[in-house]
Amino acid sequence: MVEDQRRIAHLDMDAFYASVELLRYPELRGLPVVIGGGRDAQPVRQPDGSHTFSRLRDYVGRGVITTATYEARALGVGSAMGMMKAAKLAPDAILLPVNFDAYRQMSRLFKNAVAAIAPDFEDRGIDEIYIDLTHVEGETHELAQRIKQAVRDATGLSCSIGVTPNKLLSKICSDLEKPDGLTVLGYEDIPARIWPLGVRKINGIGPKATEKLAALGIATIGQLAAADAGLLQDHFGAHYSAWLADAARGIDHRAISTSSESKSISRETTFERDLHARQDRGALSSILTQLCDRLADDLKRKGYVSRTISIKLRFDDFQIVSRNVTLPRPVADATGILQAARECLKRVPLQRRLRLLGVRASTLEPPGAGPQATLPRQGELFA
């Protein structure tokens, strides 16, 4: 198929966890709300039916924020930020615990609503999907509006959609008009709509690469598109520099993967700043735990258990290291995944700062094919 004839949408639920919580506690609408507390942050229902909520200033611990409302983000608070740091920026923000059961239910509802209109979509996690609209009847803008309305009717929540010829551009565009946004873009729109954006808008360019590009005088995607290929290769290597050049021009040939049979499932995050294994142990521990929680949620949602758990690390010099462990019996629970991930981490010398951490489950099979493993609890990394 000719590339520019494709219609690929990226649908991203708006502040998903926080928005689900606002359905339960509508009195919090318009207020800065942070999701990520433990059981002690559970709202207390009063005799008159109202609730008493915990405040971020009262939090003590090493946890990190899972997500936050847009009002909280306006105060400088964001996902993966340490709670204690966030408390200094937004001490009066409401703190709520994570409720994965509610989020899973809403995730199923919005995906079923999309599938009724456009059945070919790629599941990218609990709150985002890529949708192939190429062969779906309807004018693009109207079709995307219909999907947005179907999601709202099914969940009461808003989403943002970008529709372009490929996944890379659609991922950028779904974020341009949040919340409740809709952006439709063709290749001819790239110079006006994409090139003025900062390079960080490209999914795959993290904080460290952004800093290195800035040192070369490259701050926008347009400047990256115009950059000398030799200069990029000297500083980023042949493979990554070639990808940077393609991404800046909006080139992405990846297909939508709609296969129901997953070979592996992974979760990873790039940090806002490089983290030290010892000095930032608390933050890393919380991030690793959350990644394992989300990976366990993905396995449960897709109906798999895993016999092989892997970790992926990207250091501040862009070196990528991975380790895996094959288990005698499969796991699917967050505790088992976390213990296996920590076993993998023991085999990596953590002498450089980290910019990315990921956990992957592979060798997947349906539950019941074998008893789940309970790993012995040993000395823990990031604990």
PDB file of all heavy atoms in Angstrom, residues 290-323:
ATOM      1  N   GLN A 290       6.130  -0.465  40.029  1.00  0.00           N
ATOM      2  CA  GLN A 290       5.003  -0.056  39.191  1.00  0.00           C
ATOM      3  C   GLN A 290       5.055  -0.729  37.823  1.00  0.00           C
ATOM      4  O   GLN A 290       4.021  -1.151  37.289  1.00  0.00           O
ATOM      5  CB  GLN A 290       4.987   1.458  39.032  1.00  0.00           C
ATOM      6  CG  GLN A 290       4.550   2.204  40.277  1.00  0.00           C
ATOM      7  CD  GLN A 290       4.243   3.672  39.987  1.00  0.00           C
ATOM      8  OE1 GLN A 290       4.055   4.068  38.845  1.00  0.00           O
ATOM      9  NE2 GLN A 290       4.187   4.468  41.027  1.00  0.00           N
ATOM     10  N   LEU A 291       6.250  -0.847  37.235  1.00  0.00           N
ATOM     11  CA  LEU A 291       6.373  -1.524  35.950  1.00  0.00           C
ATOM     12  C   LEU A 291       5.922  -2.973  36.055  1.00  0.00           C
ATOM     13  O   LEU A 291       5.219  -3.492  35.177  1.00  0.00           O
ATOM     14  CB  LEU A 291       7.820  -1.464  35.454  1.00  0.00           C
ATOM     15  CG  LEU A 291       8.338  -0.099  34.978  1.00  0.00           C
ATOM     16  CD1 LEU A 291       9.837  -0.179  34.691  1.00  0.00           C
ATOM     17  CD2 LEU A 291       7.599   0.372  33.735  1.00  0.00           C
ATOM     18  N   CYS A 292       6.307  -3.645  37.144  1.00  0.00           N
ATOM     19  CA  CYS A 292       5.912  -5.042  37.340  1.00  0.00           C
ATOM     20  C   CYS A 292       4.414  -5.151  37.586  1.00  0.00           C
ATOM     21  O   CYS A 292       3.767  -6.099  37.113  1.00  0.00           O
ATOM     22  CB  CYS A 292       6.703  -5.655  38.494  1.00  0.00           C
ATOM     23  SG  CYS A 292       8.472  -5.847  38.154  1.00  0.00           S
ATOM     24  N   ASP A 293       3.845  -4.191  38.316  1.00  0.00           N
ATOM     25  CA  ASP A 293       2.389  -4.171  38.529  1.00  0.00           C
ATOM     26  C   ASP A 293       1.656  -4.048  37.192  1.00  0.00           C
ATOM     27  O   ASP A 293       0.675  -4.761  36.934  1.00  0.00           O
ATOM     28  CB  ASP A 293       1.994  -3.001  39.430  1.00  0.00           C
ATOM     29  CG  ASP A 293       2.333  -3.232  40.891  1.00  0.00           C
ATOM     30  OD1 ASP A 293       2.558  -4.399  41.266  1.00  0.00           O
ATOM     31  OD2 ASP A 293       2.393  -2.248  41.657  1.00  0.00           O
ATOM     32  N   ARG A 294       2.139  -3.152  36.339  1.00  0.00           N
ATOM     33  CA  ARG A 294       1.465  -2.935  35.052  1.00  0.00           C
ATOM     34  C   ARG A 294       1.666  -4.124  34.115  1.00  0.00           C
ATOM     35  O   ARG A 294       0.759  -4.475  33.353  1.00  0.00           O
ATOM     36  CB  ARG A 294       1.988  -1.649  34.410  1.00  0.00           C
ATOM     37  CG  ARG A 294       1.633  -0.403  35.208  1.00  0.00           C
ATOM     38  CD  ARG A 294       2.210   0.854  34.582  1.00  0.00           C
ATOM     39  NE  ARG A 294       1.978   2.010  35.438  1.00  0.00           N
ATOM     40  CZ  ARG A 294       2.373   3.226  35.167  1.00  0.00           C
ATOM     41  NH1 ARG A 294       3.031   3.476  34.043  1.00  0.00           N
ATOM     42  NH2 ARG A 294       2.125   4.237  35.994  1.00  0.00           N
ATOM     43  N   LEU A 295       2.848  -4.740  34.175  1.00  0.00           N
ATOM     44  CA  LEU A 295       3.093  -5.925  33.355  1.00  0.00           C
ATOM     45  C   LEU A 295       2.186  -7.074  33.799  1.00  0.00           C
ATOM     46  O   LEU A 295       1.628  -7.801  32.962  1.00  0.00           O
ATOM     47  CB  LEU A 295       4.569  -6.327  33.445  1.00  0.00           C
ATOM     48  CG  LEU A 295       5.024  -7.477  32.550  1.00  0.00           C
ATOM     49  CD1 LEU A 295       4.711  -7.185  31.089  1.00  0.00           C
ATOM     50  CD2 LEU A 295       6.533  -7.711  32.728  1.00  0.00           C
ATOM     51  N   ALA A 296       2.020  -7.240  35.110  1.00  0.00           N
ATOM     52  CA  ALA A 296       1.107  -8.269  35.623  1.00  0.00           C
ATOM     53  C   ALA A 296      -0.323  -7.988  35.161  1.00  0.00           C
ATOM     54  O   ALA A 296      -1.071  -8.904  34.805  1.00  0.00           O
ATOM     55  CB  ALA A 296       1.180  -8.318  37.149  1.00  0.00           C
ATOM     56  N   ASP A 297      -0.699  -6.710  35.158  1.00  0.00           N
ATOM     57  CA  ASP A 297      -2.029  -6.321  34.681  1.00  0.00           C
ATOM     58  C   ASP A 297      -2.194  -6.673  33.204  1.00  0.00           C
ATOM     59  O   ASP A 297      -3.237  -7.182  32.789  1.00  0.00           O
ATOM     60  CB  ASP A 297      -2.224  -4.822  34.906  1.00  0.00           C
ATOM     61  CG  ASP A 297      -3.515  -4.311  34.290  1.00  0.00           C
ATOM     62  OD1 ASP A 297      -4.584  -4.684  34.784  1.00  0.00           O
ATOM     63  OD2 ASP A 297      -3.443  -3.540  33.327  1.00  0.00           O
ATOM     64  N   ASP A 298      -1.159  -6.413  32.388  1.00  0.00           N
ATOM     65  CA  ASP A 298      -1.214  -6.739  30.966  1.00  0.00           C
ATOM     66  C   ASP A 298      -1.364  -8.247  30.754  1.00  0.00           C
ATOM     67  O   ASP A 298      -2.137  -8.692  29.901  1.00  0.00           O
ATOM     68  CB  ASP A 298       0.047  -6.244  30.250  1.00  0.00           C
ATOM     69  CG  ASP A 298       0.127  -4.723  30.191  1.00  0.00           C
ATOM     70  OD1 ASP A 298      -0.926  -4.080  30.321  1.00  0.00           O
ATOM     71  OD2 ASP A 298       1.239  -4.200  30.029  1.00  0.00           O
ATOM     72  N   LEU A 299      -0.602  -9.037  31.518  1.00  0.00           N
ATOM     73  CA  LEU A 299      -0.687 -10.493  31.397  1.00  0.00           C
ATOM     74  C   LEU A 299      -2.080 -10.995  31.750  1.00  0.00           C
ATOM     75  O   LEU A 299      -2.655 -11.846  31.052  1.00  0.00           O
ATOM     76  CB  LEU A 299       0.353 -11.161  32.308  1.00  0.00           C
ATOM     77  CG  LEU A 299       1.807 -11.077  31.855  1.00  0.00           C
ATOM     78  CD1 LEU A 299       2.743 -11.525  32.975  1.00  0.00           C
ATOM     79  CD2 LEU A 299       2.039 -11.938  30.610  1.00  0.00           C
ATOM     80  N   LYS A 300      -2.637 -10.454  32.827  1.00  0.00           N
ATOM     81  CA  LYS A 300      -3.979 -10.864  33.244  1.00  0.00           C
ATOM     82  C   LYS A 300      -5.010 -10.496  32.187  1.00  0.00           C
ATOM     83  O   LYS A 300      -5.896 -11.291  31.851  1.00  0.00           O
ATOM     84  CB  LYS A 300      -4.333 -10.203  34.576  1.00  0.00           C
ATOM     85  CG  LYS A 300      -5.719 -10.565  35.091  1.00  0.00           C
ATOM     86  CD  LYS A 300      -5.990  -9.901  36.436  1.00  0.00           C
ATOM     87  CE  LYS A 300      -7.392 -10.249  36.938  1.00  0.00           C
ATOM     88  NZ  LYS A 300      -7.678  -9.605  38.249  1.00  0.00           N
ATOM     89  N   ARG A 301      -4.883  -9.278  31.642  1.00  0.00           N
ATOM     90  CA  ARG A 301      -5.854  -8.805  30.666  1.00  0.00           C
ATOM     91  C   ARG A 301      -5.804  -9.624  29.382  1.00  0.00           C
ATOM     92  O   ARG A 301      -6.840  -9.874  28.752  1.00  0.00           O
ATOM     93  CB  ARG A 301      -5.588  -7.322  30.377  1.00  0.00           C
ATOM     94  CG  ARG A 301      -6.463  -6.696  29.345  1.00  0.00           C
ATOM     95  CD  ARG A 301      -6.369  -5.179  29.416  1.00  0.00           C
ATOM     96  NE  ARG A 301      -4.998  -4.725  29.589  1.00  0.00           N
ATOM     97  CZ  ARG A 301      -4.124  -4.582  28.595  1.00  0.00           C
ATOM     98  NH1 ARG A 301      -4.496  -4.857  27.366  1.00  0.00           N
ATOM     99  NH2 ARG A 301      -2.901  -4.151  28.820  1.00  0.00           N
ATOM    100  N   LYS A 302      -4.598 -10.069  28.987  1.00  0.00           N
ATOM    101  CA  LYS A 302      -4.459 -10.820  27.746  1.00  0.00           C
ATOM    102  C   LYS A 302      -4.529 -12.326  27.945  1.00  0.00           C
ATOM    103  O   LYS A 302      -4.512 -13.097  26.975  1.00  0.00           O
ATOM    104  CB  LYS A 302      -3.141 -10.445  27.055  1.00  0.00           C
ATOM    105  CG  LYS A 302      -3.098  -8.983  26.610  1.00  0.00           C
ATOM    106  CD  LYS A 302      -1.876  -8.681  25.774  1.00  0.00           C
ATOM    107  CE  LYS A 302      -1.895  -7.234  25.276  1.00  0.00           C
ATOM    108  NZ  LYS A 302      -0.754  -6.920  24.399  1.00  0.00           N
ATOM    109  N   GLY A 303      -4.605 -12.759  29.225  1.00  0.00           N
ATOM    110  CA  GLY A 303      -4.787 -14.175  29.501  1.00  0.00           C
ATOM    111  C   GLY A 303      -3.545 -15.022  29.329  1.00  0.00           C
ATOM    112  O   GLY A 303      -3.600 -16.119  28.755  1.00  0.00           O
ATOM    113  N   TYR A 304      -2.401 -14.545  29.845  1.00  0.00           N
ATOM    114  CA  TYR A 304      -1.153 -15.282  29.738  1.00  0.00           C
ATOM    115  C   TYR A 304      -0.449 -15.401  31.088  1.00  0.00           C
ATOM    116  O   TYR A 304      -0.682 -14.585  31.995  1.00  0.00           O
ATOM    117  CB  TYR A 304      -0.177 -14.586  28.772  1.00  0.00           C
ATOM    118  CG  TYR A 304      -0.539 -14.656  27.316  1.00  0.00           C
ATOM    119  CD1 TYR A 304      -0.885 -13.511  26.610  1.00  0.00           C
ATOM    120  CD2 TYR A 304      -0.508 -15.868  26.634  1.00  0.00           C
ATOM    121  CE1 TYR A 304      -1.214 -13.561  25.262  1.00  0.00           C
ATOM    122  CE2 TYR A 304      -0.831 -15.932  25.284  1.00  0.00           C
ATOM    123  CZ  TYR A 304      -1.184 -14.780  24.604  1.00  0.00           C
ATOM    124  OH  TYR A 304      -1.498 -14.848  23.287  1.00  0.00           O
ATOM    125  N   VAL A 305       0.415 -16.407  31.174  1.00  0.00           N
ATOM    126  CA  VAL A 305       1.450 -16.463  32.198  1.00  0.00           C
ATOM    127  C   VAL A 305       2.783 -16.543  31.462  1.00  0.00           C
ATOM    128  O   VAL A 305       2.826 -16.844  30.272  1.00  0.00           O
ATOM    129  CB  VAL A 305       1.269 -17.679  33.137  1.00  0.00           C
ATOM    130  CG1 VAL A 305       0.003 -17.542  33.961  1.00  0.00           C
ATOM    131  CG2 VAL A 305       1.254 -18.994  32.347  1.00  0.00           C
ATOM    132  N   SER A 306       3.873 -16.242  32.161  1.00  0.00           N
ATOM    133  CA  SER A 306       5.175 -16.133  31.499  1.00  0.00           C
ATOM    134  C   SER A 306       6.216 -17.015  32.180  1.00  0.00           C
ATOM    135  O   SER A 306       6.276 -17.086  33.407  1.00  0.00           O
ATOM    136  CB  SER A 306       5.655 -14.673  31.535  1.00  0.00           C
ATOM    137  OG  SER A 306       7.014 -14.575  31.141  1.00  0.00           O
ATOM    138  N   ARG A 307       7.055 -17.632  31.351  1.00  0.00           N
ATOM    139  CA  ARG A 307       8.158 -18.440  31.877  1.00  0.00           C
ATOM    140  C   ARG A 307       9.498 -17.711  31.837  1.00  0.00           C
ATOM    141  O   ARG A 307      10.471 -18.174  32.414  1.00  0.00           O
ATOM    142  CB  ARG A 307       8.286 -19.755  31.101  1.00  0.00           C
ATOM    143  CG  ARG A 307       7.173 -20.751  31.400  1.00  0.00           C
ATOM    144  CD  ARG A 307       7.404 -22.068  30.694  1.00  0.00           C
ATOM    145  NE  ARG A 307       6.389 -23.036  31.051  1.00  0.00           N
ATOM    146  CZ  ARG A 307       6.471 -23.872  32.085  1.00  0.00           C
ATOM    147  NH1 ARG A 307       7.536 -23.821  32.856  1.00  0.00           N
ATOM    148  NH2 ARG A 307       5.510 -24.719  32.335  1.00  0.00           N
ATOM    149  N   THR A 308       9.563 -16.576  31.135  1.00  0.00           N
ATOM    150  CA  THR A 308      10.827 -15.839  31.021  1.00  0.00           C
ATOM    151  C   THR A 308      10.585 -14.365  31.328  1.00  0.00           C
ATOM    152  O   THR A 308       9.762 -13.725  30.680  1.00  0.00           O
ATOM    153  CB  THR A 308      11.427 -15.972  29.613  1.00  0.00           C
ATOM    154  OG1 THR A 308      11.614 -17.353  29.307  1.00  0.00           O
ATOM    155  CG2 THR A 308      12.773 -15.256  29.536  1.00  0.00           C
ATOM    156  N   ILE A 309      11.310 -13.843  32.314  1.00  0.00           N
ATOM    157  CA  ILE A 309      11.230 -12.437  32.687  1.00  0.00           C
ATOM    158  C   ILE A 309      12.571 -11.780  32.369  1.00  0.00           C
ATOM    159  O   ILE A 309      13.631 -12.321  32.698  1.00  0.00           O
ATOM    160  CB  ILE A 309      10.902 -12.266  34.179  1.00  0.00           C
ATOM    161  CG1 ILE A 309       9.554 -12.914  34.506  1.00  0.00           C
ATOM    162  CG2 ILE A 309      10.901 -10.784  34.565  1.00  0.00           C
ATOM    163  CD1 ILE A 309       8.363 -12.321  33.784  1.00  0.00           C
ATOM    164  N   SER A 310      12.517 -10.618  31.735  1.00  0.00           N
ATOM    165  CA  SER A 310      13.728  -9.896  31.344  1.00  0.00           C
ATOM    166  C   SER A 310      13.685  -8.470  31.871  1.00  0.00           C
ATOM    167  O   SER A 310      12.611  -7.906  32.078  1.00  0.00           O
ATOM    168  CB  SER A 310      13.867  -9.853  29.816  1.00  0.00           C
ATOM    169  OG  SER A 310      13.702 -11.129  29.235  1.00  0.00           O
ATOM    170  N   ILE A 311      14.870  -7.906  32.050  1.00  0.00           N
ATOM    171  CA  ILE A 311      14.973  -6.483  32.345  1.00  0.00           C
ATOM    172  C   ILE A 311      15.800  -5.824  31.241  1.00  0.00           C
ATOM    173  O   ILE A 311      16.659  -6.457  30.618  1.00  0.00           O
ATOM    174  CB  ILE A 311      15.578  -6.182  33.733  1.00  0.00           C
ATOM    175  CG1 ILE A 311      16.967  -6.813  33.891  1.00  0.00           C
ATOM    176  CG2 ILE A 311      14.642  -6.649  34.836  1.00  0.00           C
ATOM    177  CD1 ILE A 311      18.104  -5.869  33.689  1.00  0.00           C
ATOM    178  N   LYS A 312      15.500  -4.555  30.990  1.00  0.00           N
ATOM    179  CA  LYS A 312      16.227  -3.766  29.995  1.00  0.00           C
ATOM    180  C   LYS A 312      16.675  -2.476  30.650  1.00  0.00           C
ATOM    181  O   LYS A 312      15.880  -1.810  31.319  1.00  0.00           O
ATOM    182  CB  LYS A 312      15.318  -3.466  28.807  1.00  0.00           C
ATOM    183  CG  LYS A 312      15.895  -2.507  27.771  1.00  0.00           C
ATOM    184  CD  LYS A 312      14.864  -2.214  26.693  1.00  0.00           C
ATOM    185  CE  LYS A 312      15.317  -1.153  25.714  1.00  0.00           C
ATOM    186  NZ  LYS A 312      14.284  -0.837  24.704  1.00  0.00           N
ATOM    187  N   LEU A 313      17.929  -2.135  30.492  1.00  0.00           N
ATOM    188  CA  LEU A 313      18.498  -0.912  31.050  1.00  0.00           C
ATOM    189  C   LEU A 313      19.162  -0.113  29.930  1.00  0.00           C
ATOM    190  O   LEU A 313      19.847  -0.687  29.082  1.00  0.00           O
ATOM    191  CB  LEU A 313      19.542  -1.228  32.125  1.00  0.00           C
ATOM    192  CG  LEU A 313      19.086  -2.060  33.322  1.00  0.00           C
ATOM    193  CD1 LEU A 313      20.286  -2.477  34.153  1.00  0.00           C
ATOM    194  CD2 LEU A 313      18.103  -1.283  34.173  1.00  0.00           C
ATOM    195  N   ARG A 314      18.928   1.183  29.934  1.00  0.00           N
ATOM    196  CA  ARG A 314      19.705   2.066  29.063  1.00  0.00           C
ATOM    197  C   ARG A 314      20.455   3.031  29.960  1.00  0.00           C
ATOM    198  O   ARG A 314      19.853   3.727  30.776  1.00  0.00           O
ATOM    199  CB  ARG A 314      18.827   2.832  28.075  1.00  0.00           C
ATOM    200  CG  ARG A 314      19.655   3.762  27.159  1.00  0.00           C
ATOM    201  CD  ARG A 314      18.777   4.471  26.151  1.00  0.00           C
ATOM    202  NE  ARG A 314      18.258   3.565  25.151  1.00  0.00           N
ATOM    203  CZ  ARG A 314      17.040   3.636  24.632  1.00  0.00           C
ATOM    204  NH1 ARG A 314      16.197   4.560  25.058  1.00  0.00           N
ATOM    205  NH2 ARG A 314      16.640   2.775  23.722  1.00  0.00           N
ATOM    206  N   PHE A 315      21.781   3.061  29.813  1.00  0.00           N
ATOM    207  CA  PHE A 315      22.621   3.895  30.662  1.00  0.00           C
ATOM    208  C   PHE A 315      22.766   5.300  30.064  1.00  0.00           C
ATOM    209  O   PHE A 315      22.314   5.569  28.951  1.00  0.00           O
ATOM    210  CB  PHE A 315      23.985   3.243  30.862  1.00  0.00           C
ATOM    211  CG  PHE A 315      23.931   1.967  31.651  1.00  0.00           C
ATOM    212  CD1 PHE A 315      23.942   0.739  31.018  1.00  0.00           C
ATOM    213  CD2 PHE A 315      23.826   1.996  33.036  1.00  0.00           C
ATOM    214  CE1 PHE A 315      23.886  -0.446  31.742  1.00  0.00           C
ATOM    215  CE2 PHE A 315      23.777   0.825  33.773  1.00  0.00           C
ATOM    216  CZ  PHE A 315      23.796  -0.396  33.119  1.00  0.00           C
ATOM    217  N   ASP A 316      23.410   6.187  30.823  1.00  0.00           N
ATOM    218  CA  ASP A 316      23.528   7.579  30.379  1.00  0.00           C
ATOM    219  C   ASP A 316      24.429   7.741  29.169  1.00  0.00           C
ATOM    220  O   ASP A 316      24.434   8.805  28.540  1.00  0.00           O
ATOM    221  CB  ASP A 316      24.015   8.471  31.532  1.00  0.00           C
ATOM    222  CG  ASP A 316      25.345   8.017  32.112  1.00  0.00           C
ATOM    223  OD1 ASP A 316      25.917   7.026  31.608  1.00  0.00           O
ATOM    224  OD2 ASP A 316      25.813   8.649  33.084  1.00  0.00           O
ATOM    225  N   ASP A 317      25.167   6.694  28.793  1.00  0.00           N
ATOM    226  CA  ASP A 317      25.980   6.751  27.572  1.00  0.00           C
ATOM    227  C   ASP A 317      25.270   6.069  26.401  1.00  0.00           C
ATOM    228  O   ASP A 317      25.888   5.768  25.382  1.00  0.00           O
ATOM    229  CB  ASP A 317      27.346   6.093  27.808  1.00  0.00           C
ATOM    230  CG  ASP A 317      27.248   4.620  28.179  1.00  0.00           C
ATOM    231  OD1 ASP A 317      26.106   4.137  28.408  1.00  0.00           O
ATOM    232  OD2 ASP A 317      28.294   3.952  28.259  1.00  0.00           O
ATOM    233  N   PHE A 318      23.945   5.788  26.578  1.00  0.00           N
ATOM    234  CA  PHE A 318      23.085   5.173  25.572  1.00  0.00           C
ATOM    235  C   PHE A 318      23.341   3.678  25.384  1.00  0.00           C
ATOM    236  O   PHE A 318      22.718   3.045  24.528  1.00  0.00           O
ATOM    237  CB  PHE A 318      23.174   5.890  24.215  1.00  0.00           C
ATOM    238  CG  PHE A 318      22.590   7.266  24.219  1.00  0.00           C
ATOM    239  CD1 PHE A 318      23.390   8.374  24.479  1.00  0.00           C
ATOM    240  CD2 PHE A 318      21.242   7.453  23.996  1.00  0.00           C
ATOM    241  CE1 PHE A 318      22.841   9.646  24.496  1.00  0.00           C
ATOM    242  CE2 PHE A 318      20.692   8.725  24.016  1.00  0.00           C
ATOM    243  CZ  PHE A 318      21.487   9.827  24.272  1.00  0.00           C
ATOM    244  N   GLN A 319      24.232   3.092  26.141  1.00  0.00           N
ATOM    245  CA  GLN A 319      24.429   1.645  26.069  1.00  0.00           C
ATOM    246  C   GLN A 319      23.191   0.947  26.618  1.00  0.00           C
ATOM    247  O   GLN A 319      22.651   1.324  27.659  1.00  0.00           O
ATOM    248  CB  GLN A 319      25.662   1.223  26.871  1.00  0.00           C
ATOM    249  CG  GLN A 319      25.893  -0.291  26.842  1.00  0.00           C
ATOM    250  CD  GLN A 319      26.995  -0.733  27.796  1.00  0.00           C
ATOM    251  OE1 GLN A 319      27.457   0.047  28.617  1.00  0.00           O
ATOM    252  NE2 GLN A 319      27.405  -1.979  27.701  1.00  0.00           N
ATOM    253  N   ILE A 320      22.733  -0.082  25.909  1.00  0.00           N
ATOM    254  CA  ILE A 320      21.569  -0.859  26.343  1.00  0.00           C
ATOM    255  C   ILE A 320      22.033  -2.233  26.808  1.00  0.00           C
ATOM    256  O   ILE A 320      22.807  -2.909  26.121  1.00  0.00           O
ATOM    257  CB  ILE A 320      20.549  -1.006  25.199  1.00  0.00           C
ATOM    258  CG1 ILE A 320      19.989   0.363  24.810  1.00  0.00           C
ATOM    259  CG2 ILE A 320      19.409  -1.947  25.597  1.00  0.00           C
ATOM    260  CD1 ILE A 320      19.045   0.325  23.620  1.00  0.00           C
ATOM    261  N   VAL A 321      21.571  -2.645  27.976  1.00  0.00           N
ATOM    262  CA  VAL A 321      21.908  -3.944  28.540  1.00  0.00           C
ATOM    263  C   VAL A 321      20.608  -4.645  28.918  1.00  0.00           C
ATOM    264  O   VAL A 321      19.683  -4.021  29.456  1.00  0.00           O
ATOM    265  CB  VAL A 321      22.805  -3.797  29.789  1.00  0.00           C
ATOM    266  CG1 VAL A 321      23.005  -5.137  30.470  1.00  0.00           C
ATOM    267  CG2 VAL A 321      24.157  -3.198  29.408  1.00  0.00           C
ATOM    268  N   SER A 322      20.520  -5.932  28.623  1.00  0.00           N
ATOM    269  CA  SER A 322      19.357  -6.711  29.032  1.00  0.00           C
ATOM    270  C   SER A 322      19.811  -8.020  29.662  1.00  0.00           C
ATOM    271  O   SER A 322      20.873  -8.546  29.332  1.00  0.00           O
ATOM    272  CB  SER A 322      18.427  -6.988  27.841  1.00  0.00           C
ATOM    273  OG  SER A 322      19.092  -7.760  26.860  1.00  0.00           O
ATOM    274  N   ARG A 323      19.021  -8.510  30.565  1.00  0.00           N
ATOM    275  CA  ARG A 323      19.250  -9.794  31.221  1.00  0.00           C
ATOM    276  C   ARG A 323      17.901 -10.488  31.361  1.00  0.00           C
ATOM    277  O   ARG A 323      16.870  -9.838  31.490  1.00  0.00           O
ATOM    278  CB  ARG A 323      19.895  -9.628  32.596  1.00  0.00           C
ATOM    279  CG  ARG A 323      21.289  -9.013  32.598  1.00  0.00           C
ATOM    280  CD  ARG A 323      22.327  -9.969  32.035  1.00  0.00           C
ATOM    281  NE  ARG A 323      23.676  -9.422  32.162  1.00  0.00           N
ATOM    282  CZ  ARG A 323      24.266  -8.652  31.260  1.00  0.00           C
ATOM    283  NH1 ARG A 323      23.609  -8.321  30.156  1.00  0.00           N
ATOM    284  NH2 ARG A 323      25.496  -8.207  31.450  1.00  0.00           N
TER     285      ARG A 323
END
